[in-house]
Amino acid sequence: MQAKKRYLTLFSAGACLILLFCFGGIQVPLSRKGPSRRDDRSLTGYHPGARWRRFSASLQPFSPWEHDQSDSHNEHISPRQKRDAISGVYTGKRCRMESCFDFSLCQRNGFKVYVYPQQKGEKMSESYQNILSSIEGSMLYTPDPGQACLFVLSLDTLDRDQLSPQYVHNLKAKVQSLHLWNGGKNHIIFNLYSGTWPDYTEDLGFDIGLAMLAKASISTENFRPNFDVSIPLFSKDHPRTGGERGYLKHNTIPPYRKYMLVFKGKRYLTGIGSDTRNALYHVHNSEDVVLLTTCKHGKDWQKHKDARCDKDNAEYDKYDYREMLYNSTFCLVPRGRRLGSFRFLEALQAACVPVMLSNGWELPFSEIIDWNTAAVIGDERLLLQIPSTVRSIHQDKILSLRHQTQFLWEAYFNSVEKIVLTTLEIIQDRVLQHTSRSNLMWNSLPGGLFTLPQYSTYLGDFPFYYAKLGVKPYTKFTAIVHVVSPLVSQSQPVMKLLVVVAKSQYCAQVIVVWNCDKPLPAKHRWPVTSVPVIVIEGESKVISSRFLPYDTIPTDAVLSLDEDTVLSTTEVDFAFTVWQSFPDRIVGYPARSHFWDSNKERWGYTSKWTNEYSMVLTGAAIYHKYYHYLYTTYLPASLKTMVDQMSNCEDILMNFLVSSVSKLPPIKVTQKKQYKETMMGQSSRASRWADPDHFAQRQTCMNKFASWFGTMPLVHSQMRLDPVLFKDQVSILRKKYRDIERL
């Protein structure tokens, strides 16, 4: 009986223990080692589930930012630093276009950019002033905030290093007081420098909210894909417009230069960014791999100098940096205190293939540029392998890399204006995805800034991609005849010109742009031709209307003609045949040239017959109709207004535009010294050439246009294309364009 009672007691106790365990009354440790007293987590706030890190990814954070840093990292950050980081970099870290951008603002007026008016008393660096001026001078700018899709601060945010004289204080309060700020939504903030000694963090010192960041030296960790834009670090001397061309003047074959790999720069003895540069001496050989560093910078460099400093400084002074840069195949671009470096743009311009050694750097414009075609992306941890790696690159690849550096430099980096416009166009492509540019448009000539997707999203509609697509332009042209004189006789030059052009086997139709003050002539006054003749009354009777992108132009090619041009059908046919091989250039007859007048220190214009030219006048020239669209939408209203007021220089402006896009000269076809610019008497009021100030105006135009473009885009050429057997002593019957011989 006693044994039975003992069994019942044990059974009851066991059942109670099981029930307590099931309902949570007893916690059984799941590991043999419990939390230590030295653990930085307090027992009162500890929960066993916190150790199961794999479940944390499925939980959405309550706050709009994330803390991805490990506990061990946070141990070394003070509470104040944590608060600063939260208020700076990490606010809105999860922002993307679809979550932090209001697309509805862009639906009414398209992609327009508004710049806040500058506040009195606020200092502004020259670099930031150049950024704002570039925006205000672009076709994307609007002075009306009600029409804007994107907003840009007038407060200088470029330099957020607290030790810098350009640092703007109290920026947080100033930004929050802006009535259009709206938490930063639809705003973009430009920044070149962030953080300060010793850590150089990416904190801007104020809450950017939901604003996008166009930042130099941004890390992949803090970069928000499809939201932020990585821009290059550029100096205060970087030109606002124009910019210098690359230094690769011609194909250098073989592509090897005097040096294989070079670098010349500071060596940091302590602090962030010192590791890589301190190790460069391991691969320096003083022959074809020349990697030079100096300790001699900063006020107290001698306090920190090491045993190598004196030797490094002496070696450093032996070499000229520019001479090294221009005579090296590869240029090392290691990180400095920050991830970015001025060496990056310097290498691009010099056609020295950049070798990137900056782990974690989001390369400039990485969203659109394929950097594998223009640079070598290295790893700081594998520094010793860099020389053997670059030596293994084939000559063909080196030549390709070098040419791509020149294209990228001139397309996106050689001026502040291009850097800013590229940034804005990237955002526009995100907003207007249905008309965004393709990867080919961004990474091949002439670049994304000159291939406007509003014109077309099909590559075959542009004159630059026929060879890549394996297609040819349409085999017909549209003649556009600019008329400013009334029709008084059937024997006028314009009547003969219409008949001659219409006889061409390549002519699809003729468009007459009527810019005469007199009313349109009756339909029966125009000659009867085998192709349609469409008469369009010029818009506002201004000379630029000849270059409008008329919907009635069905062909790729446009034959532009003045009313007094004298050409034969054979000449028209031959010019069009030549253009089909050069669809991105102007091809025609009357050539002109430019020169630099060193006495007057200005550009000059000449019509003298020489063996060199840089322009082909649009009084008798063929080009792609896309240039009509660029002339109308890309060029500023100020230049077109100037041309219209003078009724002069529109042909020069078109040559500036085409050469700026193609980076190539026009093409002159068979010399015709009998070509006359006008068949009218000098007393004719309608003739542009009757004005005695005509030539002086064209000199002025040259310099006005060069000022806006920021450089002289015209390119000289000595090439003239003639028909096969032209002027050869053979039978005329053997020549295809035999009529040209008789002219």
Side-chain angles (χ1 to χ4, degrees):
M1 188 69 180
Q2 293 296 327
K4 185 176 183 181
K5 287 181 180 180
R6 284 197 298 270
Y7 287 132
L8 288 173
T9 302
L10 290 172
F11 177 77
S12 300
C16 291
L17 287 173
I18 292 173
L19 290 173
L20 286 172
F21 176 77
C22 292
F23 288 100
I26 297 177
Q27 293 183 355
V28 179
L30 297 177
S31 65
R32 293 184 178 182
K33 184 178 179 180
S36 170
R37 290 183 180 272
R38 289 176 296 179
D39 199 311
D40 60 352
R41 299 167 298 196
S42 66
L43 291 176
T44 55
Y46 174 70
H47 190 277
R51 286 180 300 191
W52 297 94
R53 305 296 295 176
R54 62 179 179 269
F55 292 112
S56 61
S58 62
L59 300 177
Q60 298 297 325
F62 177 76
S63 60
W65 56 84
E66 295 177 330
H67 293 281
D68 295 332
Q69 299 175 342
S70 64
D71 293 336
S72 61
H73 177 71
N74 287 335
E75 287 178 358
H76 306 289
I77 300 179
S78 68
R80 181 176 180 178
Q81 287 176 314
K82 290 180 181 180
R83 288 195 301 270
D84 291 342
I86 290 173
S87 65
V89 176
Y90 294 105
T91 300
K93 186 176 180 181
R94 302 187 64 192
C95 269
R96 300 295 183 268
M97 292 294 291
E98 56 271 15
S99 60
C100 296
F101 192 88
D102 186 0
F103 288 87
S104 65
L105 296 181
C106 312
Q107 294 176 353
R108 297 189 298 269
N109 303 289
F111 187 79
K112 294 295 181 181
V113 184
Y114 172 76
V115 177
Y116 283 83
Q118 186 172 354
Q119 301 179 14
K120 292 183 179 180
E122 289 293 341
K123 62 181 180 180
M124 183 181 296
S125 64
E126 182 180 356
S127 295
Y128 198 65
Q129 183 62 58
N130 288 340
I131 288 176
L132 299 187
S133 298
S134 298
I135 297 173
E136 292 170 346
S138 75
M139 59 182 178
L140 301 176
Y141 173 71
T142 177
D144 182 4
Q147 296 182 354
C149 169
L150 187 67
F151 298 83
V152 179
L153 303 179
S154 62
L155 298 167
D156 191 344
T157 57
L158 282 188
D159 195 340
R160 301 305 299 156
D161 186 339
Q162 296 180 13
L163 301 179
S164 170
Q166 301 294 338
Y167 182 81
V168 177
H169 295 274
N170 303 319
L171 196 56
K172 179 178 179 180
K174 293 174 182 178
V175 169
Q176 295 295 336
S177 65
L178 299 173
H179 68 285
L180 297 173
W181 177 243
N182 191 26
K185 184 169 286 190
N186 288 53
H187 283 67
I188 184 168
I189 294 171
F190 288 88
N191 175 257
L192 294 180
Y193 308 98
S194 62
T196 189
W197 171 268
D199 296 325
Y200 294 94
T201 65
E202 296 183 33
D203 177 27
L204 301 187
F206 70 99
D207 185 2
I208 66 173
L210 305 180
M212 289 178 282
L213 199 55
K215 183 172 176 19
S217 306
I218 191 169
S219 66
T220 54
E221 179 183 358
N222 291 319
F223 181 77
R224 296 168 293 182
N226 198 37
F227 194 70
D228 293 332
V229 179
S230 176
I231 63 175
L233 182 65
F234 58 88
S235 70
K236 62 180 180 180
D237 299 323
H238 207 55
R240 186 180 75 83
T241 60
E244 296 182 13
R245 299 197 65 174
Y247 295 140
L248 185 66
K249 302 301 181 184
H250 53 272
N251 293 339
T252 306
I253 299 174
Y256 295 123
R257 295 177 174 176
K258 178 180 179 180
Y259 303 109
M260 175 60 67
L261 179 67
V262 300
F263 171 75
K264 187 177 183 182
K266 299 176 182 178
R267 178 161 70 88
Y268 305 109
L269 300 174
T270 60
I272 190 170
S274 60
D275 295 343
T276 301
R277 296 196 181 193
N278 277 340
L280 294 182
Y281 78 98
H282 288 294
V283 292
H284 168 74
N285 64 15
S286 299
E287 295 177 359
D288 64 341
V289 177
V290 181
L291 307 179
L292 308 171
T293 59
T294 179
C295 311
K296 196 184 299 183
H297 58 88
K299 297 179 180 179
D300 55 351
W301 69 273
Q302 291 184 337
K303 296 180 181 179
H304 304 285
K305 64 182 296 186
D306 56 20
R308 288 197 353 256
C309 276
D310 292 336
K311 181 180 179 181
D312 286 352
N313 293 342
E315 188 83 356
Y316 183 90
D317 294 334
K318 292 180 182 178
Y319 292 83
D320 179 74
Y321 175 64
R322 294 292 172 185
E323 190 271 338
M324 292 171 57
L325 192 66
Y326 303 152
N327 292 282
S328 179
T329 305
F330 296 94
C331 284
L332 198 66
V333 184
R335 65 161 296 155
R337 291 299 193 190
R338 300 174 176 88
L339 293 173
S341 167
F342 292 132
R343 300 292 182 273
F344 179 67
L345 290 187
E346 292 169 353
L348 283 182
Q349 182 180 12
C352 185
V353 180
V355 179
M356 314 304 300
L357 277 186
S358 184
N359 292 6
W361 182 22
E362 187 71 25
L363 294 181
F365 304 141
S366 55
E367 185 174 334
I368 59 164
I369 294 177
D370 180 6
W371 282 110
N372 290 318
T373 64
V376 177
I377 314 299
D379 191 318
E380 293 180 77
R381 298 166 297 183
L382 303 176
L383 171 64
L384 300 182
Q385 297 182 15
I386 293 298
S388 59
T389 299
V390 297
R391 292 183 200 279
S392 67
I393 300 176
H394 194 270
Q395 294 187 25
D396 293 344
K397 179 64 174 178
I398 292 175
L399 195 61
S400 175
L401 290 168
R402 185 175 293 164
H403 277 279
Q404 193 69 359
T405 63
Q406 299 301 273
F407 158 66
L408 294 176
W409 163 255
E410 295 180 8
Y412 307 119
F413 296 110
N414 69 349
S415 69
V416 175
E417 181 184 54
K418 287 182 180 177
I419 293 172
V420 172
L421 292 182
T422 302
T423 301
L424 298 181
E425 292 290 350
I426 289 173
I427 299 173
Q428 180 175 212
D429 275 5
R430 297 173 185 168
V431 174
L432 308 175
Q433 293 185 7
H434 61 288
T435 58
S436 62
R437 298 165 180 83
S438 67
N439 183 67
L440 180 61
M441 289 180 175
W442 284 113
N443 288 278
S444 61
L445 285 168
L449 297 184
F450 284 123
T451 49
L452 305 184
Q454 296 84 354
Y455 174 76
S456 176
T457 56
Y458 173 54
L459 293 175
D461 288 337
F462 296 90
F464 320 112
Y465 308 112
Y466 292 125
K468 291 183 175 66
L469 297 176
V471 299
K472 295 182 179 180
Y474 186 55
T475 56
K476 299 282 186 178
F477 67 80
T478 298
I480 298 182
V481 184
H482 183 235
V483 178
V484 295
S485 305
L487 288 185
V488 295
S489 169
Q490 292 296 316
S491 61
Q492 283 182 230
V494 65
M495 306 299 280
K496 298 178 181 178
L497 181 63
L498 293 176
V499 173
V500 166
V501 172
K503 287 182 179 179
S504 171
Q505 59 180 316
Y506 304 113
C507 183
Q509 69 175 19
V510 178
I511 296 177
V512 176
V513 178
W514 184 260
N515 270 342
C516 180
D517 295 333
K518 301 295 183 181
L520 282 172
K523 188 175 181 179
H524 69 273
R525 297 282 304 277
W526 300 101
V528 178
T529 60
S530 58
V531 299
V533 176
I534 302 173
V535 182
I536 299 176
E537 194 156 11
E539 185 177 309
S540 303
K541 305 290 185 181
V542 293
I543 200 167
S544 290
S545 61
R546 69 184 301 175
F547 295 141
L548 288 175
Y550 295 108
D551 294 334
T552 51
I553 303 177
T555 60
D556 295 328
V558 170
L559 171 61
S560 177
L561 298 165
D562 286 341
E563 62 180 349
D564 46 20
T565 299
V566 178
L567 287 176
S568 68
T569 303
T570 303
E571 288 176 300
V572 171
D573 288 348
F574 177 64
F576 179 70
T577 302
V578 172
W579 175 85
Q580 287 181 299
S581 298
F582 305 94
D584 56 340
R585 305 206 218 176
I586 297 178
V587 176
Y589 288 94
R592 299 292 182 267
S593 187
H594 74 286
F595 64 94
W596 177 252
D597 189 334
S598 57
N599 294 326
K600 297 181 179 179
E601 294 187 346
R602 56 178 292 177
W603 293 105
Y605 169 90
T606 179
S607 58
K608 293 181 180 179
W609 291 94
T610 65
N611 292 327
E612 193 173 63
Y613 65 93
S614 59
M615 292 173 280
V616 167
L617 304 186
T618 55
I622 300 177
Y623 49 82
H624 198 281
K625 69 175 180 180
Y626 176 60
Y627 291 121
H628 276 208
Y629 183 82
L630 277 183
Y631 186 98
T632 304
T633 59
Y634 178 79
L635 295 177
S638 59
L639 293 187
K640 290 180 287 188
T641 300
M642 174 181 137
V643 164
D644 293 337
Q645 289 175 348
M646 293 191 302
S647 291
N648 195 356
C649 301
E650 86 289 351
D651 47 0
I652 298 178
L653 183 54
M654 178 60 84
N655 274 271
F656 267 70
L657 175 63
V658 176
S659 291
S660 178
V661 173
S662 67
K663 306 293 189 297
L664 295 168
I667 293 178
K668 176 174 174 55
V669 289
T670 304
Q671 190 88 357
K672 182 188 177 187
K673 290 194 175 182
Q674 292 90 337
Y675 177 85
K676 297 181 180 179
E677 292 172 332
T678 177
M679 294 294 292
M680 301 179 183
Q682 292 297 307
S683 61
S684 172
R685 181 179 60 85
S687 175
R688 292 182 295 153
W689 308 91
D691 186 353
D693 295 328
H694 173 81
F695 193 79
Q697 288 177 345
R698 293 173 83 78
Q699 300 274 8
T700 301
C701 289
M702 293 285 295
N703 291 277
K704 288 284 187 181
F705 298 162
S707 175
W708 184 83
F709 280 90
T711 185
M712 172 51 71
L714 298 178
V715 182
H716 281 107
S717 175
Q718 296 180 341
M719 182 177 72
R720 189 188 79 197
L721 296 185
D722 299 333
V724 176
L725 300 180
F726 179 70
K727 297 294 185 180
D728 285 356
Q729 300 300 315
V730 297
S731 171
I732 195 71
L733 299 178
R734 297 177 60 186
K735 302 181 180 182
K736 180 177 181 180
Y737 300 100
R738 61 192 66 162
D739 290 342
I740 295 181
E741 298 273 343
R742 304 189 181 101
L743 297 175

mmCIF file of all heavy atoms in Angstrom, residues 335-354:
data_model
loop_
_atom_site.group_PDB
_atom_site.id
_atom_site.type_symbol
_atom_site.label_atom_id
_atom_site.label_comp_id
_atom_site.label_asym_id
_atom_site.label_seq_id
_atom_site.Cartn_x
_atom_site.Cartn_y
_atom_site.Cartn_z
ATOM 1 N N ARG A 335 42.314 55.195 -53.254
ATOM 2 C CA ARG A 335 41.513 56.066 -52.414
ATOM 3 C C ARG A 335 42.420 57.001 -51.620
ATOM 4 O O ARG A 335 43.589 56.709 -51.365
ATOM 5 C CB ARG A 335 40.655 55.255 -51.455
ATOM 6 C CG ARG A 335 41.423 54.454 -50.415
ATOM 7 C CD ARG A 335 40.540 54.073 -49.252
ATOM 8 N NE ARG A 335 40.079 55.255 -48.554
ATOM 9 C CZ ARG A 335 38.967 55.313 -47.838
ATOM 10 N NH1 ARG A 335 38.195 54.261 -47.724
ATOM 11 N NH2 ARG A 335 38.621 56.425 -47.219
ATOM 12 N N GLY A 336 41.866 58.153 -51.241
ATOM 13 C CA GLY A 336 42.570 59.055 -50.347
ATOM 14 C C GLY A 336 41.895 59.006 -48.988
ATOM 15 O O GLY A 336 41.509 57.942 -48.513
ATOM 16 N N ARG A 337 41.763 60.174 -48.369
ATOM 17 C CA ARG A 337 41.016 60.209 -47.123
ATOM 18 C C ARG A 337 39.571 59.779 -47.370
ATOM 19 O O ARG A 337 38.943 59.126 -46.548
ATOM 20 C CB ARG A 337 41.042 61.617 -46.527
ATOM 21 C CG ARG A 337 42.393 62.054 -46.003
ATOM 22 C CD ARG A 337 42.889 61.155 -44.892
ATOM 23 N NE ARG A 337 44.031 61.733 -44.179
ATOM 24 C CZ ARG A 337 44.767 61.087 -43.312
ATOM 25 N NH1 ARG A 337 44.525 59.800 -43.068
ATOM 26 N NH2 ARG A 337 45.772 61.690 -42.701
ATOM 27 N N ARG A 338 39.068 60.181 -48.515
ATOM 28 C CA ARG A 338 37.735 59.748 -48.933
ATOM 29 C C ARG A 338 37.891 58.769 -50.089
ATOM 30 O O ARG A 338 38.975 58.589 -50.625
ATOM 31 C CB ARG A 338 36.879 60.948 -49.324
ATOM 32 C CG ARG A 338 36.681 61.952 -48.180
ATOM 33 C CD ARG A 338 35.945 63.192 -48.648
ATOM 34 N NE ARG A 338 35.672 64.119 -47.559
ATOM 35 C CZ ARG A 338 36.504 65.074 -47.150
ATOM 36 N NH1 ARG A 338 37.673 65.245 -47.759
ATOM 37 N NH2 ARG A 338 36.175 65.874 -46.158
ATOM 38 N N LEU A 339 36.798 58.163 -50.505
ATOM 39 C CA LEU A 339 36.875 57.119 -51.529
ATOM 40 C C LEU A 339 37.263 57.672 -52.894
ATOM 41 O O LEU A 339 37.957 57.026 -53.665
ATOM 42 C CB LEU A 339 35.531 56.389 -51.619
ATOM 43 C CG LEU A 339 35.151 55.557 -50.396
ATOM 44 C CD1 LEU A 339 33.727 55.033 -50.530
ATOM 45 C CD2 LEU A 339 36.114 54.403 -50.205
ATOM 46 N N GLY A 340 36.790 58.870 -53.207
ATOM 47 C CA GLY A 340 37.075 59.467 -54.503
ATOM 48 C C GLY A 340 38.395 60.218 -54.512
ATOM 49 O O GLY A 340 38.989 60.501 -53.477
ATOM 50 N N SER A 341 38.859 60.550 -55.727
ATOM 51 C CA SER A 341 40.144 61.223 -55.868
ATOM 52 C C SER A 341 40.137 62.056 -57.142
ATOM 53 O O SER A 341 39.491 61.705 -58.136
ATOM 54 C CB SER A 341 41.274 60.192 -55.923
ATOM 55 O OG SER A 341 42.478 60.765 -56.350
ATOM 56 N N PHE A 342 40.873 63.188 -57.114
ATOM 57 C CA PHE A 342 41.027 64.008 -58.318
ATOM 58 C C PHE A 342 41.751 63.233 -59.420
ATOM 59 O O PHE A 342 41.612 63.555 -60.598
ATOM 60 C CB PHE A 342 41.818 65.278 -58.003
ATOM 61 C CG PHE A 342 41.093 66.246 -57.107
ATOM 62 C CD1 PHE A 342 41.730 66.802 -56.014
ATOM 63 C CD2 PHE A 342 39.782 66.603 -57.357
ATOM 64 C CE1 PHE A 342 41.077 67.699 -55.186
ATOM 65 C CE2 PHE A 342 39.114 67.494 -56.539
ATOM 66 C CZ PHE A 342 39.766 68.041 -55.445
ATOM 67 N N ARG A 343 42.533 62.224 -59.040
ATOM 68 C CA ARG A 343 43.290 61.446 -60.029
ATOM 69 C C ARG A 343 42.364 60.784 -61.046
ATOM 70 O O ARG A 343 42.771 60.509 -62.171
ATOM 71 C CB ARG A 343 44.114 60.364 -59.328
ATOM 72 C CG ARG A 343 45.119 60.884 -58.320
ATOM 73 C CD ARG A 343 46.253 61.645 -59.004
ATOM 74 N NE ARG A 343 47.234 62.096 -58.031
ATOM 75 C CZ ARG A 343 47.165 63.232 -57.367
ATOM 76 N NH1 ARG A 343 46.130 64.040 -57.568
ATOM 77 N NH2 ARG A 343 48.103 63.596 -56.521
ATOM 78 N N PHE A 344 41.140 60.545 -60.652
ATOM 79 C CA PHE A 344 40.210 59.838 -61.536
ATOM 80 C C PHE A 344 39.948 60.640 -62.808
ATOM 81 O O PHE A 344 40.125 60.131 -63.926
ATOM 82 C CB PHE A 344 38.905 59.578 -60.785
ATOM 83 C CG PHE A 344 37.853 58.884 -61.593
ATOM 84 C CD1 PHE A 344 38.015 57.580 -62.011
ATOM 85 C CD2 PHE A 344 36.693 59.550 -61.962
ATOM 86 C CE1 PHE A 344 37.050 56.940 -62.767
ATOM 87 C CE2 PHE A 344 35.722 58.921 -62.712
ATOM 88 C CZ PHE A 344 35.905 57.609 -63.117
ATOM 89 N N LEU A 345 39.551 61.907 -62.671
ATOM 90 C CA LEU A 345 39.276 62.731 -63.847
ATOM 91 C C LEU A 345 40.557 63.062 -64.600
ATOM 92 O O LEU A 345 40.553 63.157 -65.836
ATOM 93 C CB LEU A 345 38.556 64.014 -63.439
ATOM 94 C CG LEU A 345 37.112 63.864 -62.945
ATOM 95 C CD1 LEU A 345 36.474 65.228 -62.729
ATOM 96 C CD2 LEU A 345 36.270 63.043 -63.913
ATOM 97 N N GLU A 346 41.647 63.237 -63.889
ATOM 98 C CA GLU A 346 42.920 63.526 -64.551
ATOM 99 C C GLU A 346 43.351 62.375 -65.448
ATOM 100 O O GLU A 346 43.845 62.593 -66.564
ATOM 101 C CB GLU A 346 43.988 63.809 -63.495
ATOM 102 C CG GLU A 346 43.775 65.098 -62.726
ATOM 103 C CD GLU A 346 44.684 65.234 -61.519
ATOM 104 O OE1 GLU A 346 45.396 64.262 -61.203
ATOM 105 O OE2 GLU A 346 44.684 66.311 -60.890
ATOM 106 N N ALA A 347 43.149 61.162 -64.979
ATOM 107 C CA ALA A 347 43.505 60.000 -65.791
ATOM 108 C C ALA A 347 42.615 59.883 -67.019
ATOM 109 O O ALA A 347 43.087 59.591 -68.128
ATOM 110 C CB ALA A 347 43.415 58.729 -64.948
ATOM 111 N N LEU A 348 41.323 60.113 -66.850
ATOM 112 C CA LEU A 348 40.403 60.042 -67.991
ATOM 113 C C LEU A 348 40.813 61.011 -69.084
ATOM 114 O O LEU A 348 40.870 60.659 -70.261
ATOM 115 C CB LEU A 348 38.978 60.347 -67.538
ATOM 116 C CG LEU A 348 38.194 59.257 -66.804
ATOM 117 C CD1 LEU A 348 36.789 59.755 -66.503
ATOM 118 C CD2 LEU A 348 38.124 57.963 -67.602
ATOM 119 N N GLN A 349 41.080 62.255 -68.709
ATOM 120 C CA GLN A 349 41.431 63.257 -69.704
ATOM 121 C C GLN A 349 42.721 62.909 -70.431
ATOM 122 O O GLN A 349 42.851 63.124 -71.636
ATOM 123 C CB GLN A 349 41.558 64.636 -69.057
ATOM 124 C CG GLN A 349 41.866 65.742 -70.061
ATOM 125 C CD GLN A 349 41.997 67.101 -69.414
ATOM 126 O OE1 GLN A 349 42.085 67.216 -68.193
ATOM 127 N NE2 GLN A 349 42.005 68.158 -70.207
ATOM 128 N N ALA A 350 43.678 62.340 -69.712
ATOM 129 C CA ALA A 350 44.984 62.035 -70.294
ATOM 130 C C ALA A 350 44.996 60.746 -71.098
ATOM 131 O O ALA A 350 46.054 60.350 -71.604
ATOM 132 C CB ALA A 350 46.028 61.962 -69.184
ATOM 133 N N ALA A 351 43.839 60.086 -71.242
ATOM 134 C CA ALA A 351 43.768 58.795 -71.947
ATOM 135 C C ALA A 351 44.669 57.766 -71.286
ATOM 136 O O ALA A 351 45.216 56.883 -71.939
ATOM 137 C CB ALA A 351 44.123 58.951 -73.424
ATOM 138 N N CYS A 352 44.828 57.899 -69.983
ATOM 139 C CA CYS A 352 45.585 56.940 -69.178
ATOM 140 C C CYS A 352 44.552 56.069 -68.469
ATOM 141 O O CYS A 352 43.761 56.566 -67.659
ATOM 142 C CB CYS A 352 46.454 57.686 -68.172
ATOM 143 S SG CYS A 352 47.554 56.634 -67.219
ATOM 144 N N VAL A 353 44.508 54.798 -68.782
ATOM 145 C CA VAL A 353 43.436 53.931 -68.305
ATOM 146 C C VAL A 353 43.463 53.867 -66.771
ATOM 147 O O VAL A 353 44.468 53.458 -66.184
ATOM 148 C CB VAL A 353 43.582 52.514 -68.884
ATOM 149 C CG1 VAL A 353 42.461 51.609 -68.374
ATOM 150 C CG2 VAL A 353 43.598 52.563 -70.413
ATOM 151 N N PRO A 354 42.384 54.278 -66.097
ATOM 152 C CA PRO A 354 42.379 54.272 -64.630
ATOM 153 C C PRO A 354 42.371 52.847 -64.081
ATOM 154 O O PRO A 354 41.638 51.983 -64.564
ATOM 155 C CB PRO A 354 41.078 55.005 -64.268
ATOM 156 C CG PRO A 354 40.612 55.660 -65.519
ATOM 157 C CD PRO A 354 41.140 54.840 -66.649
#
